Amino acid sequence: AWWFDITRQADPYFHHAYVIAIVNLQGFEYYAAPYYYLVVALLSSPLAALSRFHLIDGPAFLALAAMWSNTVLLVLYAFGCMALARHLRFRPSERLIYVGLCCFVPIVERAFSFLRPENLILMLAPWATIFILICWRAMRFSVPGLRNPAFWPAVASLGVMATQKMSGLAMVGGLGILSVLLMRGPLVRRLAWLWR
């Protein structure tokens, strides 16, 4: 399940060339922000050194870089799902079921074997949700947003998600719309909370 020929993924030329360009400190124009590719380049820098010394070839570097960096992101995603389940007060057995359902469904497993920016968005989603929930709970007790320690991590994670790719912007926008729909109280108050 973990092995996949990444040359057969969607748009391999763009994704692979972007990683290679960042590793080689070259410019490259692409429609997605470079955050995911910077994470991949940073995590796979030892592999890039092996490639520079011609100990592994280019395709092997890309396959190993995808496998290693996405494994790290998947582990962080799993910990985020576990923390979110604990934050939502799931029982211990429910937490394990929740993490299993989030992490080990085929579409998620396959996504984490590609080189694609959605992996970073997916990894940040549970952490952003936790930070947002902490901010909402603090706002109920009239704690100003800037004094809440979860405010800046929430802004940073949502900002990276929204600017990474259009799908991330749609996810953040959808989260805002759902916030307004699911909050209680008059519409004006809900919009004010969303603005804050």
Side-chain angles (χ1 to χ4, degrees):
W2 276 92
W3 179 255
F4 180 77
D5 181 6
I6 60 170
T7 61
R8 298 176 63 192
Q9 76 171 62
D11 300 326
Y13 169 75
F14 295 113
H15 300 293
H16 301 175
Y18 211 171
V19 171
I20 295 293
I22 289 174
V23 166
N24 292 329
L25 302 176
Q26 298 170 342
F28 189 82
E29 290 186 12
Y30 188 48
Y31 64 87
Y35 307 125
Y36 169 72
Y37 305 101
L38 289 169
V39 169
V40 171
L42 180 67
L43 290 174
S44 61
S45 54
L47 298 169
L50 292 176
S51 179
R52 285 284 180 157
F53 289 120
H54 304 290
L55 297 173
I56 56 174
D57 62 1
F61 163 72
L62 286 171
L64 291 171
M67 201 179 292
W68 167 243
S69 60
N70 287 331
T71 300
V72 172
L73 291 177
L74 181 61
V75 168
L76 291 172
Y77 173 65
F79 276 115
C81 290
M82 182 64 81
L84 179 59
R86 192 178 73 235
H87 195 77
L88 294 173
R89 299 180 183 93
F90 287 7
R91 291 188 300 247
S93 60
E94 293 172 334
R95 293 176 198 169
L96 292 175
I97 293 170
Y98 177 72
V99 171
L101 288 172
C102 288
C103 296
F104 300 111
V105 293
I107 188 113
V108 172
E109 288 294 316
R110 182 53 69 217
F112 278 108
S113 58
F114 294 164
L115 279 173
R116 48 186 303 216
E118 287 85 354
N119 294 344
L120 182 63
I121 296 169
L122 187 59
M123 186 276 296
L124 287 171
W127 296 105
T129 306
I130 291 168
F131 297 137
I132 290 168
L133 288 172
I134 292 170
C135 289
W136 280 352
R137 288 175 180 161
M139 277 193 278
R140 287 182 184 168
F141 295 103
S142 302
V143 176
L146 293 176
R147 291 191 184 173
N148 189 332
F151 178 78
W152 291 112
V155 169
S157 55
L158 289 173
V160 169
M161 290 166 64
T163 57
Q164 177 62 51
K165 204 171 176 189
M166 197 63 175
S167 55
L169 181 62
M171 186 173 174
V172 171
L175 182 62
I177 292 169
L178 280 174
S179 311
V180 171
L181 294 176
L182 296 176
M183 280 189 226
R184 296 179 185 157
L187 180 62
V188 175
R189 184 177 175 206
R190 288 184 276 169
L191 291 173
W193 274 30
L194 179 63
W195 177 254
R196 286 166 55 190

